Amino acid sequence: MTYNKHILWAFTAALATGWVLSNDEGCYYGTVMKHSCNWTCMLLTLQWPGSFCIGLTNKTICKIPLTIQNWTIHGLWPMHTGHCCNCWPIFHSHLQEIEPELTQLWPSLIKGKHFFNFWREEWIKHGTCAGCDGAMGSPLLYFQAAVKLRKLFDINSVLESSGIKASCEVSYKYDDISKALTSLLGDNFDLQCVTDSKGREAWIQLKIHLSRNQTIGCPTEKQDKAFYNLAWYKSPGHPCPKNTTIFFVPINYDNPHEPCN
């Protein structure tokens, strides 16, 4: 009798699990997503391909496509979400409409990693939480929002107009970079750097603070340091130091992990 009960329990559990995994609506409105919808701020994180490979432990896996010559998207991340839902599926067909733009603005810089696999990871980790907002309520809408924001913030033009250009010979003060960006972003950003093999600080990422409605800025009191400690939000590098100069290294397609050597 006990054996039969165990068989019946296992069969019932399997049916229930299959229903949850195949029923997106049931999963979407489940406990996980209710918790993950309680957010008000986002980070648009842009990465500089020139220094991206410096931050990798395995230097052999990095490859920068020849078509990439500008800042690329690392992710669009709702804050304070906890764990997002891995049961809201995304398929390649969802993104075919904007794939040419994504390929240019949101590429994978890891050798052998298909672009869609990178996009899928970002959707599962972050997009499913962003999807709580109607303006980003599908894979297509989420990635369209990120592309639109990336185009809105033309970082290269702002830097060039302030005389800040990619170089292995010239470094810049933190305040000079910050001043150039303030004209576009106010004080709603963070700079991340990595340290190269010669001990130089290289600028790798720019994190732009946004409100849920995709406008620049988010009230400081809404932000929480615990957010930056969550494993899936950790990025290569560290806050750029303010007491030393920073290199904005050029893109080196042949030797991306040591662009200035």
Side-chain angles (χ1 to χ4, degrees):
M1 175 69 80
T2 301
Y3 177 78
N4 290 337
K5 284 184 177 180
H6 286 167
I7 293 295
L8 179 60
W9 179 89
F11 181 72
T12 303
L15 285 177
T17 302
W19 178 84
V20 170
L21 292 176
S22 62
N23 191 315
D24 297 337
E25 184 176 352
C27 190
Y28 178 81
Y29 289 104
T31 305
V32 172
M33 286 308 295
K34 285 183 178 178
H35 171 69
S36 300
C37 285
N38 187 26
W39 58 271
T40 58
C41 303
M42 298 189 294
L43 288 179
L44 173 68
T45 301
L46 305 181
Q47 60 189 9
W48 176 243
S51 50
F52 171 79
C53 303
I54 299 174
L56 298 179
T57 303
N58 186 345
K59 307 297 184 183
T60 65
I61 64 173
C62 189
K63 182 177 182 180
I64 305 174
L66 295 176
T67 56
I68 305 304
Q69 302 173 0
N70 209 323
W71 289 85
T72 63
I73 301 170
H74 184 173
L76 180 59
W77 306 336
M79 298 171 65
H80 312 300
T81 56
H83 179 71
C84 294
C85 180
N86 61 1
C87 56
W88 191 348
I90 179 174
F91 301 102
H92 196 180
S93 58
H94 290 157
L95 304 180
Q96 286 181 340
E97 179 182 331
I98 60 169
E99 187 168 9
E101 289 183 299
L102 287 177
T103 298
Q104 187 66 32
L105 299 178
W106 201 333
S108 168
L109 305 181
I110 302 298
K111 189 183 301 182
K113 187 171 189 177
H114 192 278
F115 286 11
F116 176 72
N117 291 337
F118 179 33
W119 303 333
R120 181 178 180 276
E121 289 175 2
E122 288 296 310
W123 167 253
I124 292 174
K125 290 180 180 179
H126 310 289
T128 52
C129 288
C132 298
D133 188 281
M136 295 177 284
S138 72
L140 177 60
L141 290 174
Y142 169 72
F143 284 94
Q144 282 179 326
V147 167
K148 180 180 178 181
L149 289 166
R150 165 59 186 81
K151 291 180 177 179
L152 177 64
F153 302 121
D154 189 357
I155 305 303
N156 258 23
S157 295
V158 169
L159 294 175
E160 288 180 2
S161 65
S162 298
I164 298 174
K165 299 179 180 180
S167 171
C168 288
E169 287 74 39
V170 179
S171 60
Y172 301 94
K173 295 180 180 179
Y174 178 97
D175 289 344
D176 291 337
I177 297 176
S178 179
K179 183 179 179 180
L181 294 172
T182 298
S183 63
L184 177 66
L185 304 174
D187 60 354
N188 303 293
F189 62 89
D190 299 303
L191 306 181
Q192 276 195 315
C193 286
V194 288
T195 306
D196 71 6
S197 60
K198 294 185 177 181
R200 297 171 296 196
E201 293 293 335
W203 185 15
I204 184 174
Q205 288 198 139
L206 172 64
K207 294 185 174 181
I208 303 172
H209 295 264
L210 303 170
S211 294
R212 183 165 176 149
N213 64 1
Q214 303 178 36
T215 57
I216 188 73
C218 198
T220 304
E221 63 270 20
K222 296 290 186 180
Q223 301 180 28
D224 189 337
K225 290 182 180 179
F227 165 79
Y228 296 100
N229 294 326
L230 296 176
W232 49 87
Y233 288 106
K234 286 184 177 179
S235 305
H238 48 263
C240 291
K242 299 182 180 181
N243 59 352
T244 186
T245 57
I246 299 168
F247 281 86
F248 180 38
V249 301
I251 299 174
N252 186 330
Y253 301 99
D254 297 323
N255 191 18
H257 63 283
E258 291 188 351
C260 290
N261 292 339

